[in-house]
Amino acid sequence: MVSTVLFALGALVLWGAYAFTTALRRNILKARQTGIPYIVFPVHPFNLSWQLTSWFWLPLIRRLLPKPWWERQLFVMTPDWAWNTRQEHFDKLGESFLIVSAEEITLFSESAEVIEQVMHRREAFPKDTAKYDVLAMFGRNVLTTEGALWRMHRKVTSASFNEKNAAKTFAQAIVQTQGLIGTYFGSPAQERAGTTGTITSLEHDAMTWALNTIAYVGFGLQLLWPGQKLPDDIDPKLAKYGSLEPPPGYTMNFAASLATVLHRIVALLVFPVPVLKLLPFEWARQAWSAKENYSKYMDDFLREKLDEVRRGDNAQVGMDIMGQLVRSKYEQSQLKKADGAKQLEDSDIVGNAFIMTLAGHETTANILHFLLIELATNPGAQRRLQQDIDALFGDSDPATWNYEDKISAVLASHIGACVNETLRLMPPVTGIPKIVSADGDQTITIDGKPHVLPVGMTISLLAVSAHRNPRWWPTRPSERSGAATDLDDYLPERWFRPSLTATSTSSSSTSSSGPSDSAPNEAQEDYGGFQGSDTSASLYRPVRGSFVPFSDGPRSCLGRRIAMVEMVAAVATIFQRHSIELAVDEWAADDEVGTMGAEERRRVYAKAQHRSRDTLRQATSILTLKLHDGKFVPVRSLKKNDLELQLDEYLSENATQFQSNPRLGPYFNLRARTAGSPVKREAPELKVSKRRATKAADEIIAVETPSDDEDSQSTTTGAAAAAAGAATSRAASSASTALTRTPGRALALASRIPLPATPADVASAVDRGTVAVRERVASLYAGSGIGEATAATRESLSTVRAVVLAVAAFELYFLRPEVLPDRYAFTVPAVKFLGTPDVPVSLPDMFALLTASFWGPALTWALTSWIVPSLLGYLFNLSAAANGSGSSSGASAYNTRGRPSSAARAAAAAEYVVDPLTFSIAKALATYVVYAQGVTFGGWLDPQAVARVNAALYSGWKGVLVGSAITGLTAVYDAVLRK
């Protein structure tokens, strides 16, 4: 019994290995046909089991396996590898590459050209909604649906995203920012000192600010900051959502339930809610309680909105997203359904409300959090920001700021530049998932070459990498790190650099005009939401596809305009009257800092800057990119010193009078770096770094162009540079022909007199003779065909078929004496000259072929070791399916829907007529059943013949199993090598 169970388990393992290998080989063939570089790994990086346990496996792989086995591909199995490694692996593999596993194939790309094509062909490349299943826990929504269902959700949710509501968001963001500032300067001691203590809750406070803003603007809910109280005249039905204490029937307040759901999102993804309730862990109890409380809040809110709509109460506060959704459903229910028109369900309303709250809360809060840290880490950028705020708003009360009058100027100022730079460096979503439509294979163009992507291939558009791709962004050498580019540096002034020319962006801007299976007017169709650019027209305009913090195309973020307005309002409000700096408590106390000199303070602050940048590098992405596991950057907030502001303004206005004063040199140098030189205003020439294809050899002569940084060369034009290059080329040409122009020696009389051979002449003659002999021998060897015959023999033997035949020949070698015994035939007489004796010669008894003694064992062996395994290997031939799925390529191989045509399928031939792995498994099964277990299948097999074969074979049936294992492993090895 035990042996049977073990055998069944072994067979199951072999079958699993076979299925895995066949699937892997099929995907490798598909990847190879795309023409895009690819990496093979047994497990896919998006596999949920791997993502949950990678912390255990990654160190184990690095310690136990040789480095050459994993150093090229293991990086992609590391969570957030694109964020952590920046451009390192793209520099080696190119802007786009594939990850191939048995589960799926995924295209990773940082190419603006690819991103632009994929995002604007929604029908051909829909969103991979499977990656967002966890966000449908409360109901289907605009993020987790596709096709006609997505169109319905997009239509009913987009109506609230307009400029009228953007103005309301601007005003409410100012109110909530003032509440945030009030929590920091609320005490009389802090107000008198003009500074806060060390703030370690910046991330939590930004979350509270964003939630309060979206709750009021989006849903009419008034949430509170600590110390605030609800107005006396507030609607009692809404009071329970804004209360800091849980209302009757709840165990959490509304804000805490939502925050905990987001914090425990992984637990809610992995475990069903009833299971969480039973688990004896605090995190499980929190996740279950938060889910139950939030669901109850939203159900109550939905019923209240339904009652309002039925009563005809259209009073709105802000966007009223929930009310808009309820009214859409109510209007749909009043109309007759035609052609099976889809209608919102109650769960869809709750699901959309959840996703709008998440998108308007989590992402915006993270960006504000990172922006404040970056400005504290880069004081120069903060001072330049405050100058623009002073110019735009002066000392005016933020409550009086008019949205229509100010928003364009704000977005075009250093305020908008700081937000854009934060979005560039730390986008909320690092990768945007897409999938190739099931309607057929799709073609994209990369650098002018078409590549066919197979049905079902997943795509990850890496925004965090595209935002740092030097091919698509103007760059300079980094002043901070000394790197070749400054794309890893926080430089808001980058957004005041000149945009790339049309010729530089043509490859991206025209890429969408390539082959497309999407609807003809898909790009022009109105999907609702803000239709303008993500950046101000006065700032740097990135190449399309190179800056996608809010995605792009039909599925771009509905609330991107709202988010930008919300963030610039908060930044302007904070830095109008306050500054922010890094806390240095770890290195020096306040009293110690007060006694330090300027140089010592700089050294201490440099340590805080280094720690801040290192902490930001530890951000991870679960739903969005943020600092997890309690990581934080400590900061302090300061009130701007009025005297300092007046002094700065005075020196700025009288720069010509004071800039020659050596004591004020450091001040004007700082102004030159942060705000631009007051004398030299022209922008230096920028370079766009583009990767070049690897050449077999570098050019021998390099043309050097003048330095862009030298003032003396600042007037060099493109024509002058071309002239310099031409001159250098002419000089190089002259140098290369110098030897041909050098006059030869005059033919003197002495040169015609024959002289005796020198030792050098003799050695040269011998060398020539040796070379001639060697060439002749090589020619004879080549003409003999020995080399070709050896190569052909090696090629024939280096196959799975050859190994299978070798194992069969080994078995026949031992079986032949049993079925064809040797009989004496003749004797070779002795040769006295050679001293050899008489030699008897025995030959197989061919008359045995006429007896059952031969045919019984021979047919038994043939059936178990050849005929039955071959038949099963022919019928269960997965190599035929793998080859057939990838053999047809090109436009002619596909029908109008993109699927392989019948002619292409008929032309697809199996790589093996008999699948070698199936053959080996069937042979092992038949051998074990017949020879080990003695099964005769009702007398069809002769027990005596079975016993004779088992006795004749080397090691009996065990030897045959070993041979089957060898051929099976060879088949697996061959499949892996064929990648």
Side-chain angles (χ1 to χ4, degrees), residues 391-519:
L392 285 168
F393 299 108
D395 291 330
S396 61
D397 183 354
T400 66
W401 296 350
N402 183 273
Y403 173 81
E404 289 78 9
D405 294 342
K406 295 293 185 180
I407 190 61
S408 295
V410 167
L411 292 173
S413 70
H414 217 73
I415 305 171
C418 287
V419 174
N420 286 345
E421 184 69 353
T422 307
L423 288 167
R424 184 188 71 84
L425 284 176
M426 309 192 77
V429 179
T430 58
I432 302 167
K434 298 284 186 177
I435 192 170
V436 177
S437 170
D439 291 338
D441 298 352
Q442 302 296 333
T443 301
I444 61 172
T445 303
I446 303 177
D447 294 331
K449 296 180 181 179
H451 298 268
V452 179
L453 306 184
V455 170
M457 173 187 283
T458 55
I459 302 172
S460 182
L461 304 175
L462 298 173
V464 71
S465 302
H467 294 179
R468 301 169 188 261
N469 188 345
R471 179 179 179 185
W472 307 105
W473 290 84
T475 64
R476 298 171 179 165
S478 172
E479 296 181 4
R480 180 175 63 82
S481 65
T485 74
D486 59 5
L487 291 175
D488 288 333
D489 299 343
Y490 185 81
L491 297 172
E493 58 266 28
R494 179 191 320 279
W495 294 88
F496 297 100
R497 296 174 181 176
S499 300
L500 299 181
T501 62
T503 56
S504 301
T505 63
S506 59
S507 63
S508 175
S509 60
T510 62
S511 60
S512 61
S513 63
S516 174
D517 295 331
S518 57

Side-chain angles (χ1 to χ4, degrees), residues 563-819:
M564 286 295 296
V565 167
E566 188 178 356
M567 287 185 288
V568 297
V571 171
T573 304
I574 292 173
F575 291 98
Q576 182 196 28
R577 302 180 185 277
H578 301 84
S579 298
I580 190 169
E581 67 178 19
L582 298 175
V584 296
D585 304 3
E586 183 177 347
W587 300 278
D590 290 349
D591 295 341
E592 294 176 306
V593 173
T595 60
M596 290 179 180
E599 185 60 31
E600 193 173 0
R601 289 188 182 188
R602 277 193 290 269
R603 285 198 300 268
V604 171
Y605 205 75
K607 294 179 182 179
Q609 289 173 311
H610 177 76
R611 176 64 59 82
S612 170
R613 294 183 178 113
D614 182 64
T615 302
L616 289 180
R617 286 294 298 268
Q618 298 176 44
T620 54
S621 179
I622 296 180
L623 286 180
T624 58
L625 185 67
K626 63 183 293 185
L627 292 177
H628 291 93
D629 301 324
K631 297 183 178 67
F632 63 90
V633 176
V635 297
R636 287 189 173 191
S637 182
L638 309 168
K639 283 193 172 182
K640 290 167 63 176
N641 188 298
D642 292 339
L643 178 60
E644 177 184 337
L645 292 177
Q646 294 176 11
L647 182 60
D648 179 79
E649 182 179 355
Y650 178 76
L651 291 175
S652 177
E653 293 175 353
N654 298 275
T656 55
Q657 177 181 353
F658 294 107
Q659 65 182 0
S660 59
N661 189 329
R663 297 177 60 186
L664 297 176
Y667 166 79
F668 285 103
N669 288 337
L670 179 62
R671 284 194 65 249
R673 288 197 300 270
T674 58
S677 170
V679 178
K680 183 179 178 181
R681 304 299 296 179
E682 58 272 16
E685 184 180 354
L686 299 174
K687 297 181 288 183
V688 178
S689 301
K690 294 191 177 183
R691 293 190 178 91
R692 58 175 184 173
T694 304
K695 299 182 179 179
D698 292 337
E699 294 83 350
I700 297 176
I701 301 175
V703 179
E704 297 183 357
T705 57
S707 170
D708 294 333
D709 298 328
E710 297 180 9
D711 291 344
S712 61
Q713 302 296 330
S714 60
T715 58
T716 302
T717 63
T728 307
S729 178
R730 289 194 298 271
S733 177
S734 299
S736 64
T737 57
L739 293 178
T740 62
R741 298 179 183 176
T742 301
R745 294 182 179 180
L747 296 179
L749 178 63
S751 64
R752 305 179 209 170
I753 300 176
L755 298 175
T758 65
D761 294 332
V762 175
S764 178
V766 172
D767 288 341
R768 286 195 298 271
T770 303
V771 170
V773 172
R774 188 163 57 245
E775 290 177 349
R776 179 59 178 166
V777 172
S779 177
L780 292 174
Y781 178 78
S784 68
I786 296 176
E788 289 81 355
T790 302
T793 303
R794 181 184 181 187
E795 183 177 358
S796 299
L797 295 179
S798 300
T799 62
V800 179
R801 295 185 185 92
V803 175
V804 173
L805 290 174
V807 171
F810 182 79
E811 295 175 8
L812 284 173
Y813 174 79
F814 288 93
L815 182 62
R816 198 274 308 167
E818 178 65 29
V819 297

Side-chain angles (χ1 to χ4, degrees), residues 285-324:
R285 188 195 63 78
Q286 289 179 358
W288 172 81
S289 179
K291 175 77 161 45
E292 291 297 307
N293 277 271
Y294 182 77
S295 297
K296 190 175 180 181
Y297 276 118
M298 296 311 294
D299 289 342
D300 290 350
F301 197 36
L302 175 61
R303 285 194 299 270
E304 293 163 5
K305 285 295 178 182
L306 282 170
D307 292 341
E308 290 180 6
V309 171
R310 292 191 182 103
R311 293 196 307 266
D313 185 0
N314 292 323
Q316 298 183 24
V317 178
M319 298 164 69
D320 192 24
I321 294 174
M322 181 73 87
Q324 179 66 33

Side-chain angles (χ1 to χ4, degrees), residues 176-502:
Q176 294 300 329
T177 306
Q178 290 174 326
L180 170 66
I181 295 172
T183 63
Y184 293 151
F185 290 93
S187 70
Q190 291 171 331
E191 182 70 25
R192 287 193 301 271
T195 181
T196 66
T198 298
I199 301 171
T200 60
S201 59
L202 192 59
E203 187 264 345
H204 174 269
D205 298 335
M207 286 288 180
T208 303
W209 164 83
L211 179 60
N212 290 4
T213 304
I214 189 62
Y216 185 81
V217 176
F219 301 94
L221 304 178
Q222 188 168 348
L223 305 184
L224 301 178
W225 288 96
Q228 292 182 341
K229 294 182 179 180
L230 289 171
D232 295 334
D233 58 348
I234 190 172
D235 187 340
K237 291 184 298 184
L238 299 181
K240 68 178 179 181
Y241 302 102
S243 173
L244 296 177
E245 297 297 327
Y250 296 85
T251 59
M252 290 182 174
N253 64 42
F254 174 74
S257 67
L258 175 60
T260 308
V261 164
L262 299 179
H263 182 60
R264 299 299 182 187
I265 196 76
V266 175
L268 292 169
L269 169 65
V270 176
F271 299 100
V273 174
V275 175
L276 287 173
K277 185 178 180 181
L278 299 176
L279 290 177
F281 304 109
E282 179 64 19
W283 56 264
R285 188 195 63 78
Q286 289 179 358
W288 172 81
S289 179
K291 175 77 161 45
E292 291 297 307
N293 277 271
Y294 182 77
S295 297
K296 190 175 180 181
Y297 276 118
M298 296 311 294
D299 289 342
D300 290 350
F301 197 36
L302 175 61
R303 285 194 299 270
E304 293 163 5
K305 285 295 178 182
L306 282 170
D307 292 341
E308 290 180 6
V309 171
R310 292 191 182 103
R311 293 196 307 266
D313 185 0
N314 292 323
Q316 298 183 24
V317 178
M319 298 164 69
D320 192 24
I321 294 174
M322 181 73 87
Q324 179 66 33
L325 293 171
V326 171
R327 279 188 291 274
S328 296
K329 178 185 177 179
Y330 188 75
E331 291 168 1
Q332 290 173 348
S333 66
Q334 301 303 312
L335 299 174
K336 294 182 179 180
K337 295 184 179 179
D339 301 326
K342 297 183 181 296
Q343 182 179 359
L344 282 176
E345 303 292 338
D346 287 351
S347 61
D348 297 338
I349 296 176
V350 176
N352 277 297
F354 170 72
I355 211 66
M356 294 300 171
T357 305
L358 170 65
H361 158 231
E362 178 99 354
T363 57
T364 311
N366 289 335
I367 293 302
L368 181 65
H369 175 216
F370 291 137
L371 184 148
L372 295 176
I373 293 176
E374 288 287 8
L375 289 177
T377 308
N378 299 274
Q382 185 175 164
R383 293 192 183 96
R384 180 66 181 88
L385 166 71
Q386 290 171 327
Q387 289 177 4
D388 275 16
I389 293 174
D390 291 344
L392 285 168
F393 299 108
D395 291 330
S396 61
D397 183 354
T400 66
W401 296 350
N402 183 273
Y403 173 81
E404 289 78 9
D405 294 342
K406 295 293 185 180
I407 190 61
S408 295
V410 167
L411 292 173
S413 70
H414 217 73
I415 305 171
C418 287
V419 174
N420 286 345
E421 184 69 353
T422 307
L423 288 167
R424 184 188 71 84
L425 284 176
M426 309 192 77
V429 179
T430 58
I432 302 167
K434 298 284 186 177
I435 192 170
V436 177
S437 170
D439 291 338
D441 298 352
Q442 302 296 333
T443 301
I444 61 172
T445 303
I446 303 177
D447 294 331
K449 296 180 181 179
H451 298 268
V452 179
L453 306 184
V455 170
M457 173 187 283
T458 55
I459 302 172
S460 182
L461 304 175
L462 298 173
V464 71
S465 302
H467 294 179
R468 301 169 188 261
N469 188 345
R471 179 179 179 185
W472 307 105
W473 290 84
T475 64
R476 298 171 179 165
S478 172
E479 296 181 4
R480 180 175 63 82
S481 65
T485 74
D486 59 5
L487 291 175
D488 288 333
D489 299 343
Y490 185 81
L491 297 172
E493 58 266 28
R494 179 191 320 279
W495 294 88
F496 297 100
R497 296 174 181 176
S499 300
L500 299 181
T501 62

